[in-house]
């Protein structure tokens, strides 16, 4: 019989394998699987691409005849429904696997608990709860989408030591190093969508694509209340490279909306909130579209609204060893602010990385 320590050892490997699917399987979760027989790994695999075989199938195919009487470690409950692939539980049963160890119940209501029930009904031993917190952390975007109908939001900014994201004239190229920007592009390529406000588009004319080899281009999302996205922007000139979603409010002129639609943009019209896009409404709409994770890259107006609206899950701050100064130079977060320091939103689960002379601080935001 496998001891709990051994179960964790193989589950840790399954989670490590699952991570390889990041940025390729969404809106599905990242899942890894390991097959063990007589204390030896006989098969392993991970969910590699959305619509492709699940982790369990890769592991079973690799295990072959050694699957019989083996134990399967899988980082999420095996599915029991037909989707883009057949149910994994059927393949598990057919392979002759006698025990399944998993982290917990799949939050997707289509499967939730049904896979475990089916396995138990056929006499397969099931152990739940192994490294469950680690699995939930790995797939935090998937859990949020399933349980709340909202995408997971990471807000990123680059700033100087004195907390400025641009000079008083608006120049921000480049605050951080080339290495830092490469890392940001890597993260961008793992996201379903990258978001900026219209002021950032007008000022910087960004492409918002991923310039890292092997990375995917996320959907490009623009918060543009009045549908004023410039027709000569690089975004519109590259619309064939990645979809553009423009969020406008209900007062945006129909002619402007129609013009952007003719250029190929997808328009999402929300309620009006003080003359702006209603971000709560908009993010629920993105959730309906099954967008799992969104990378918000500015500017300060959008970042402020996101934080004030408590729509942010994770913060990623790039700090460069420079001092910009200037009373009118922008800070990343503006708005009214708080009365007391004890009321401040806080970062937890903090990690620190270094690229060249820059420091990157990442953490989960709690309000």
């Amino acid at each position: 019989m496998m001891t709990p320590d051994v179960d964790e050892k193989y589950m840790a490997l399954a989670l490590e394998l699952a991570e390889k699917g990041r940025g390729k399987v969404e809106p599905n979760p990242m899942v890894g699987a390991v097959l063990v027989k007589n204390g030896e790994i006989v098969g392993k695999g991970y969910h590699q691409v959305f619509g492709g075989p699940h982790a369990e199938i890769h592991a079973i195919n690799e295990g072959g005849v050694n699957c019989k009487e083996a134990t399967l470690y899988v980082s999420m409950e095996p599915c029991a429904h037909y989707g883009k692939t057949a149910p994994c539980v059927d393949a598990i049963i057919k392979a002759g696997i006698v025990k399944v160890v998993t982290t917990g119940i799949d939050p997707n209501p289509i499967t939730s608990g049904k896979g475990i029930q089916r396995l138990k009904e056929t006499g397969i031993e099931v152990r739940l709860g192994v490294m469950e917190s680690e699995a939930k952390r790995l797939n935090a975007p998937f859990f949020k989408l399933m349980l709340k109908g909202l995408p997971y939001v990471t807000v990123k900014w680059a700033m100087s030591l004195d907390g400025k994201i641009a000079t008083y004239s608006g120049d921000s190229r480049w605050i951080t190093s080339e290495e830092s920007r490469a890392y940001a592009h890597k993260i961008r390529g793992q996201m379903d969508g990258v978001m900026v406000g219209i002021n950032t588009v007008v000022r910087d004319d960004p492409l918002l694509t991923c310039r890292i080899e092997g990375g995917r281009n996320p959907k490009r999302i623009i918060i543009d209340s009045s549908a004023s996205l410039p027709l000569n922007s690089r975004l519109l000139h590259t619309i064939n490279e990645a979809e553009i979603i423009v969020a406008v409010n209900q007062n945006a002129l129909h002619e402007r909306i129609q013009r952007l639609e003719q250029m190929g943009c997808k328009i999402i019209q929300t309620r009006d909130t003080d003359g702006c896009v209603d971000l709560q409404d908009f993010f629920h709409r993105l959730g309906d579209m099954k967008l799992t994770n969104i990378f918000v890259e500015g500017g300060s107006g959008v970042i402020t609204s996101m934080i004030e609206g408590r729509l942010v899950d994770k913060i990623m701050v790039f700090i460069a060893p420079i001092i910009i100064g200037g009373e009118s130079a922008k800070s990343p977060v503006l708005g009214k602010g708080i009365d007391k320091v004890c009321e401040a939103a806080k970062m937890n689960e903090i990690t620190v990385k270094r690229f060249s002379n820059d420091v990157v601080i990442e953490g989960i935001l709690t309000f």
Side-chain angles (χ1 to χ4, degrees):
M1 179 181 292
M2 296 289 186
T3 67
D5 287 345
V6 171
D7 284 352
E8 289 188 6
K9 168 188 169 182
Y10 292 121
M11 189 60 72
L13 176 56
L15 290 168
E16 185 179 323
L17 289 166
E19 173 67 36
K20 293 183 176 183
R22 186 177 296 277
K24 303 178 182 69
V25 302
E26 291 80 1
N28 282 352
M30 295 172 281
V31 181
V34 178
L35 268 169
V36 177
K37 184 175 182 179
N38 298 327
E40 294 186 2
I41 295 173
V42 295
K44 57 185 185 293
Y46 67 97
H47 187 27
Q48 299 177 8
V49 62
F50 178 71
H54 290 183
E56 301 94 317
I57 305 305
H58 285 294
I60 289 169
N61 288 343
E62 186 176 298
V65 295
N66 287 317
C67 292
K68 190 173 179 61
E69 305 295 321
T71 295
L72 173 68
Y73 293 85
V74 59
S75 62
M76 187 167 286
E77 174 186 8
C79 66
H81 66 282
Y82 280 91
K84 291 186 177 295
T85 62
C88 289
V89 291
D90 290 353
I92 293 169
I93 295 165
K94 184 178 179 181
I97 291 165
V98 295
K99 182 178 179 180
V100 172
V101 179
T102 188
T103 60
I105 301 296
D106 188 334
N108 187 340
I110 296 176
T111 280
S112 190
K114 298 181 180 69
I116 299 300
Q117 180 182 355
R118 179 84 189 284
L119 293 172
K120 288 182 176 179
E121 286 174 349
T122 58
I124 294 175
E125 182 183 351
V126 176
R127 183 182 178 209
L128 284 169
V130 177
M131 301 188 73
E132 185 172 10
S133 60
E134 291 86 348
K136 286 183 175 180
R137 190 179 303 117
L138 175 73
N139 277 306
F142 177 73
F143 275 84
K144 185 180 181 186
L145 184 65
M146 290 297 105
L147 297 176
K148 297 184 178 180
L150 289 167
Y152 191 88
V153 177
T154 300
V155 169
K156 165 254 177 183
W157 67 75
M159 69 181 188
S160 60
L161 284 174
D162 55 334
K164 305 297 184 180
I165 61 173
T167 67
Y168 72 89
S169 66
D171 179 51
S172 61
R173 294 187 177 179
W174 297 102
I175 288 177
T176 53
S177 66
E178 185 176 344
E179 291 88 345
S180 289
R181 298 197 299 276
Y183 176 64
H185 275 281
K186 176 185 175 183
I187 301 301
R188 185 187 282 180
Q190 296 172 348
M191 298 289 174
D192 292 336
V194 56
M195 176 184 291
V196 298
I198 186 60
N199 291 336
T200 296
V201 175
V202 172
R203 183 185 67 243
D204 298 339
D205 194 21
L207 283 170
L208 302 180
T209 51
C210 174
R211 266 105 61 198
I212 297 295
E213 185 177 352
R216 64 173 179 171
N217 283 334
K219 298 180 190 298
R220 297 173 288 178
I221 304 169
I222 314 302
I223 307 299
D224 181 15
S225 298
S226 58
S228 58
L229 181 62
L231 298 187
N232 63 348
S233 67
R234 294 201 296 168
L235 285 171
L236 290 178
H237 285 172
T238 57
I239 197 162
N240 291 331
E241 294 182 25
E243 183 178 351
I244 296 174
I245 300 172
V246 183
V248 306
N249 68 26
Q250 60 189 11
N251 295 319
L253 294 177
H254 176 70
E255 304 82 55
R256 290 181 178 176
I257 292 174
Q258 191 174 46
R259 179 187 64 185
L260 291 177
E261 287 179 330
Q262 289 170 348
M263 295 288 290
C265 298
K266 178 177 178 61
I267 305 297
I268 297 181
Q269 198 163 15
T270 75
R271 297 187 295 266
D272 180 278
T273 301
D274 298 324
C276 299
V277 167
D278 186 313
L279 290 175
Q280 296 282 350
D281 182 18
F282 179 56
F283 271 81
H284 275 99
R285 304 276 283 280
L286 294 179
D288 291 341
M289 293 168 60
K290 303 303 180 189
L291 296 192
T292 309
N293 43 43
I294 305 296
F295 200 38
V296 178
E297 297 199 39
S300 57
V302 170
I303 291 172
T304 300
S305 297
M306 295 291 298
I307 291 175
E308 289 182 341
R310 301 193 171 193
L311 287 163
V312 181
D313 299 288
K314 184 175 182 179
I315 296 285
M316 181 181 295
V317 182
F318 292 74
I319 305 172
I322 60 174
I323 295 175
I324 291 175
E327 291 184 8
S328 60
K330 283 282 181 73
S331 297
V333 185
L334 303 174
K336 179 183 176 182
I338 57 174
D339 293 327
K340 300 177 181 179
V341 172
C342 64
E343 299 171 351
K346 298 175 177 63
M347 284 177 66
N348 296 297
E349 300 180 32
I350 293 171
T351 61
V352 179
K353 299 181 177 71
R354 181 170 172 175
F355 296 96
S356 187
N357 289 326
D358 303 331
V359 173
V360 184
I361 302 175
E362 302 178 36
I364 307 303
L365 195 63
T366 57
F367 296 94

